[in-house]
Amino acid sequence: DTGVSQDPRHKITKRGQNVTFRCDPISEHNRLYWYRQTLGQGPEFLTYFQNEAQLEKSRLLSDRFSAERPKGSFSTLEIQRTEQGDSAMYLCASSRDGSKMFFGSGTQLSVL
Amino acid sequence: DQQVKQNSPSLSVQEGRISILNCDYTNSMFDYFLWYKKYPAEGPTFLISISSIKDKNEDGRFTVFLNKSAKHLSLHIVPSQPGDSAVYFCGLNFGNEKLTFGTGTRLTIIP
């Protein structure tokens, strides 16, 4: 399968714990995006990379959030000191040129 | 300030009839428009797109219409099938940067 892969699919954690998600994009895509989706809302932009450079971060991305794409291939999104409001589906997408994006299946985070 | 709006949270359509989903936007700088379909617990799947230089794009049962003067985008599905039941999001792009999504419309096809 050559689509966007995300791991894990589900994560349950206690408030205050740190969590890390991984995204493997489509191999020839140099752009990688992170979005967050809550119930009844559309996906909300968090950040994106072109190769290993992080080009934009949303104001939704507080200091507790950090994303990396060290070698321009896979990416990780870490949330420190999780809060109940962080509960959401975290979506990763990749794109060849920034026009059409292809999404992974997402990581559903539940903070108890 | 919400730049992209899908004013109908839900829509029910009889199988075989036409489904019309709508999307309105405020920023005239958007230049590429996409529709995505989403099933529960899965990521959005790309359906069809249109650039700002066109007013219509067709792909099988799916047609997207763009009215730039009205800042309005619509997706027509005809004939509608039970497998079309899903949540549909419009996504708008400016300068090939990132997509800004609407809140989605849940489409239910009634057999």
Side-chain angles (χ1 to χ4, degrees):
Chain A
D1 180 52
T2 57
V4 178
S5 176
Q6 291 189 247
D7 183 71
R9 288 293 305 272
H10 305 275
K11 179 70 177 178
I12 300 174
T13 190
K14 291 183 178 178
R15 189 176 52 188
Q17 298 293 305
N18 299 343
V19 294
T20 300
F21 310 141
R22 177 180 169 123
C23 172
D24 288 89
I26 294 170
S27 58
E28 63 266 28
H29 287 182
N30 59 11
R31 292 202 182 192
L32 186 148
Y33 303 80
W34 285 99
Y35 280 79
R36 179 174 71 185
Q37 185 177 16
T38 53
L39 204 59
Q41 299 297 317
E44 296 174 298
F45 170 77
L46 292 178
T47 188
Y48 90 94
F49 294 83
Q50 176 148 324
N51 300 313
E52 66 274 12
Q54 189 172 17
L55 295 188
E56 186 175 346
K57 288 168 39 171
S58 162
R59 55 185 165 81
L60 293 175
L61 214 66
S62 76
D63 291 345
R64 296 185 297 106
F65 289 70
S66 62
E68 294 183 346
R69 194 182 183 197
K71 296 182 180 178
S73 56
F74 74 91
S75 175
T76 57
L77 177 68
E78 181 183 16
I79 309 175
Q80 295 183 328
R81 304 181 303 282
T82 52
E83 301 173 355
Q84 287 184 324
D86 297 331
S87 296
M89 175 171 276
Y90 289 84
L91 294 163
C92 176
S94 70
S95 173
R96 188 192 307 274
D97 58 6
S99 57
K100 193 184 305 180
M101 292 182 192
F102 295 88
F103 284 84
S105 296
T107 294
Q108 184 66 52
L109 173 66
S110 298
V111 181
L112 305 178
Chain B
D1 180 31
Q2 200 168 357
Q3 296 188 73
V4 183
K5 291 183 180 178
Q6 292 178 255
N7 290 318
S8 298
S10 62
L11 176 68
S12 294
V13 174
Q14 205 78 30
E15 182 179 358
R17 306 295 290 268
I18 184 170
S19 295
I20 300 176
L21 298 113
N22 295 304
C23 177
D24 295 290
Y25 60 96
T26 56
N27 188 345
S28 58
M29 299 294 285
F30 287 124
D31 56 10
Y32 196 64
F33 307 84
L34 304 89
W35 282 97
Y36 283 82
K37 174 181 179 180
K38 187 179 184 301
Y39 294 119
E42 293 185 14
T45 303
F46 170 76
L47 266 181
I48 191 169
S49 62
I50 188 169
S51 75
S52 58
I53 61 172
K54 294 186 173 182
D55 54 19
K56 177 182 174 181
N57 187 28
E58 199 169 346
D59 183 3
R61 297 186 298 115
F62 302 92
T63 303
V64 56
F65 294 92
L66 175 63
N67 183 334
K68 289 188 292 294
S69 60
K71 296 191 183 68
H72 180 79
L73 180 73
S74 64
L75 173 68
H76 292 207
I77 306 173
V78 57
S80 300
Q81 298 174 353
D84 296 330
S85 294
V87 179
Y88 289 78
F89 294 97
C90 57
L92 282 58
N93 201 328
F94 160 53
N96 286 343
E97 291 292 326
K98 61 183 184 290
L99 287 180
T100 300
F101 287 93
T103 51
T105 296
R106 180 177 301 278
L107 176 64
T108 302
I109 305 302
I110 304 165

